[in-house]
Amino acid sequence: MNGQTKKLMWGLGISDEDANVIQHAAGGRFALSCFPIGVTPTVDQLETDEPCLLWISKQGWDTLKTLPSSDTAHIDVTSRILIMGGDYDLAELESLLECGFTEIIKPPITKERARDVLLSAVETQNLYQDIMHMTREICLEREMLERKNDMLSFIVSFLEKVTQHLDPAEILRAAQTELKTLLPVSAINAICWSPQVSENVHATIYVAGSEKNDVARAWTEMLKTHAQRLLGDGVVSTDMNYMGTVKTEILPSSDTLLAIDLEHGGANFGVVLVQCHEHPQLGKDQIQILRSAISHLTLGLNNAMLYTAAQHNADIDGLTRLYNRRHFDARIVEENTRHRRYGHSLCLMIADIDNFKNINDTYGHLAGDDVLKDLSRILESSLRTSDYIARFGGEEFAVLLPCTSASHATMLAERIRIQIEEHSFVTDKGILNVTASIGVACIDHTHEESPVEIIRRADAALYQAKDSGKNQMSILYPDKSLLVAGGYAT
């Protein structure tokens, strides 16, 4: 109490005789400071003195009642004893009791009566202080409970959102939305790859924007730099996924960028970059929540990438690493529907290695495998990124050429045929010379035609090239007219 060892009491309008009795009864533990009638202690005096008890005469109280409540409200917080002098009736007494006095006593005040009142008042105040202390503790515990409840609600919601999808892009979209309640998030970008692969990695880059532009390229370069930090030169190829999670383009800013390395079971499988529009100010609880959120995000993305890898492996030919027949059958249906809807041309090319059985019988199946892998690389290097390649059968390869006319398809097929003919195929049995026959067909916009019919025409053109001497290109037009061109019989 401001360095005082004694507790302080106030007297308002009390007589000197009453003040002496009260002070004598209080002993050395209390001090009494008196104010004459008409003088009201101020708020500053209350905060300085911190009186534990207020002795007030009836005349002093009557004077206080004439003042505005704003001038006397601060006195109501202190325990008050009313010294009731003069005549009064029962109604007046009841009215005074409702004014919040701890006790009302009649003069003359005796030492014993003053001591009893003082001890009772102090006990009441101590009880009040205990109750206030308990109330503050309850409020603090309630606040902590509400904060923990908010933390739990966030984590439960975040966990639900990032684990209900097996598409990494959907998980990142959900994470961006949820993290905005914790951080000033502007955009989330990421690069991910299969957790089971650490060399010759094929990664997918997830950009918050909706199109390829300078901003997307800036994020792409930054993500590749982070991937290189984790893998060295392990990333050999990337796919792009434009998520469209931002309305305005946001460039990377290192000052407000949070980089999260994705690691599970001791293996890195990507990096998430959280861009904020201001520097985040995180308390201890928020840091704890963020760590939990990152853990859940990592788990969700890990499961999604494993699922994506499993899907990819189910669609990929193990030898050539091209798409397999299962994937091709689904893709040609999609492409046929899309190209017919917009009236675009679509061509199918089927290439078959000539005399492949003789290669296997003469040089062994390992040499045959080398030829298949080498030919798949020729196709990949000769085609556009928009073209689609699949291993159609044992030694057959199918190529879908979107938005490609019949004339351009035949020119491309002939060029590939020549490349195969002139290529030296390196095998475990030495250099081999190989040729291929190619059949081409294009969709017919004059009438409805199923993908099976397109495949059937391309296959018929291929067999016509075979029957005409092999090492040739043939196209079968929708009107059943046939063009065969190419090299010589092998």
Side-chain angles (χ1 to χ4, degrees):
M1 188 178 61
N2 301 322
Q4 299 183 32
T5 57
K6 296 181 179 181
K7 292 185 177 181
L8 185 63
M9 301 181 293
W10 276 353
L12 297 186
I14 65 175
S15 66
D16 292 341
E17 181 182 356
D18 289 342
N20 289 332
V21 173
I22 293 170
Q23 183 62 75
H24 185 64
R29 295 173 53 199
F30 299 89
L32 179 65
S33 178
C34 293
F35 298 85
I37 293 175
V39 177
T40 305
T42 64
V43 174
D44 291 340
Q45 287 175 301
L46 179 71
E47 292 178 352
T48 300
D49 292 350
E50 297 180 1
C52 64
L53 191 60
L54 176 61
W55 299 85
I56 183 168
S57 68
K58 177 65 167 58
Q59 187 179 2
W61 174 247
D62 290 339
T63 303
L64 283 176
K65 287 194 298 181
T66 64
L67 300 176
S69 60
S70 59
D71 293 342
T72 61
H74 59 284
I75 297 177
D76 293 339
V77 302
T78 305
S79 297
R80 294 170 296 173
I81 307 297
L82 179 63
I83 302 173
M84 190 73 173
D87 297 328
Y88 58 90
D89 56 23
L90 183 59
E92 184 180 11
L93 182 60
E94 291 177 349
S95 176
L96 289 169
L97 287 171
E98 292 177 356
C99 292
F101 288 103
T102 304
E103 287 202 43
I104 299 177
I105 60 176
K106 288 181 62 178
I109 301 176
T110 64
K111 178 181 176 182
E112 290 74 17
R113 179 61 174 150
R115 183 183 292 113
D116 291 342
V117 170
L118 181 60
L119 292 175
S120 176
V122 170
E123 184 178 351
T124 300
Q125 187 183 42
N126 289 338
L127 179 61
Y128 172 78
Q129 290 177 342
D130 289 343
I131 292 174
M132 289 301 297
H133 179 70
M134 290 174 61
T135 301
R136 284 194 294 269
E137 286 187 342
I138 291 172
C139 290
L140 181 60
E141 289 180 359
R142 181 177 178 180
E143 183 181 343
M144 293 176 61
L145 184 61
E146 288 178 350
R147 190 159 61 242
K148 288 182 179 180
N149 187 56
D150 290 341
M151 292 169 55
L152 182 60
S153 296
F154 172 82
I155 292 300
V156 169
S157 176
F158 190 86
L159 175 61
E160 179 185 359
K161 294 296 192 304
V162 300
T163 55
Q164 67 181 358
H165 301 288
L166 285 173
D167 179 359
E170 289 298 326
I171 292 175
L172 291 168
R173 289 189 185 99
Q176 178 170 314
T177 300
E178 292 296 311
L179 284 176
K180 283 183 178 179
T181 63
L182 181 65
L183 299 170
V185 175
S186 300
I188 287 183
N189 300 267
I191 182 170
C192 302
W193 54 86
S194 171
Q196 300 170 328
V197 179
S198 58
E199 296 180 353
N200 298 321
V201 170
H202 178 79
T204 302
I205 294 175
Y206 299 90
V207 178
S210 57
E211 60 182 351
K212 183 179 181 180
N213 53 28
D214 290 341
V215 175
R217 280 188 282 273
W219 280 110
T220 298
E221 290 305 313
M222 179 171 280
L223 288 164
K224 285 183 176 179
T225 299
H226 279 277
Q228 189 174 28
R229 171 174 57 82
L230 296 176
L231 292 173
D233 297 326
V235 177
V236 296
S237 59
T238 56
D239 285 334
M240 295 297 300
N241 187 310
Y242 298 96
M243 298 185 290
T245 55
V246 294
K247 294 182 179 179
T248 57
E249 298 291 349
I250 300 169
L251 281 165
S253 173
S254 57
D255 292 338
T256 53
L257 189 68
L258 176 64
I260 303 169
D261 292 346
L262 300 175
E263 185 268 336
H264 186 76
N268 291 108
F269 65 94
V271 178
V272 174
L273 299 181
V274 180
Q275 181 67 66
C276 299
H277 51 76
E278 61 185 41
H279 197 279
Q281 300 293 329
L282 298 178
K284 182 178 179 180
D285 289 346
Q286 289 175 306
I287 292 175
Q288 183 180 354
I289 295 174
L290 181 59
R291 285 175 176 168
S292 181
I294 290 172
S295 177
H296 292 316
L297 176 60
T298 300
L299 179 61
L301 286 173
N302 179 73
N303 292 337
M305 293 310 298
L306 288 174
Y307 176 77
T308 300
Q311 260 194 332
H312 181 74
N313 290 336
D315 295 332
I316 295 297
D317 174 60
L319 179 65
T320 62
R321 307 309 298 169
L322 299 177
Y323 287 110
N324 56 26
R325 176 63 184 270
R326 171 182 172 275
H327 193 270
F328 169 81
D329 288 340
R331 183 62 175 266
I332 193 173
V333 172
E334 295 173 3
E335 294 293 342
N336 182 54
T337 301
R338 182 163 64 92
H339 282 72
R340 287 185 181 278
R341 180 184 300 125
Y342 297 108
H344 295 160
S345 58
L346 172 67
C347 293
L348 169 63
M349 180 172 67
I350 300 179
D352 181 88
I353 300 175
D354 297 324
N355 305 314
F356 186 71
K357 184 176 184 302
N358 291 340
I359 295 175
N360 282 335
D361 292 344
T362 304
Y363 302 102
H365 286 83
L366 292 179
D369 289 347
D370 290 336
V371 170
L372 291 171
K373 289 187 285 188
D374 225 1
L375 193 141
S376 68
R377 286 192 287 269
I378 292 174
L379 292 175
E380 287 180 312
S381 63
S382 304
L383 297 168
R384 303 166 298 181
T385 55
S386 58
D387 297 331
Y388 172 90
I389 317 169
R391 186 178 179 187
F392 191 66
E395 64 270 19
E396 290 183 331
F397 297 83
V399 180
L400 286 172
L401 304 170
C403 301
T404 303
S405 64
S407 60
H408 283 93
T410 55
M411 290 169 51
L412 176 61
E414 179 63 10
R415 186 168 71 247
I416 290 174
R417 184 198 64 77
I418 293 172
Q419 282 183 281
I420 295 171
E421 182 181 28
E422 295 177 348
H423 184 75
S424 296
F425 288 80
V426 179
T427 73
D428 66 332
K429 298 297 184 181
I431 302 297
L432 299 181
N433 294 320
V434 176
T435 63
S437 300
I438 303 174
V440 179
C442 300
I443 62 174
D444 181 10
H445 285 291
T446 62
H447 68 279
E448 286 295 325
E449 184 182 44
S450 69
V452 173
E453 290 302 319
I454 304 172
I455 296 172
R456 184 174 287 117
R457 279 196 284 114
D459 209 34
L462 171 63
Y463 278 99
Q464 185 60 47
K466 292 279 189 183
D467 291 343
S468 298
K470 301 180 181 177
N471 190 24
Q472 298 189 48
M473 184 284 307
S474 174
I475 180 170
L476 183 60
Y477 294 100
D479 62 2
K480 308 303 181 184
S481 60
L482 185 70
L483 171 66
V484 179
Y488 305 97
T490 59

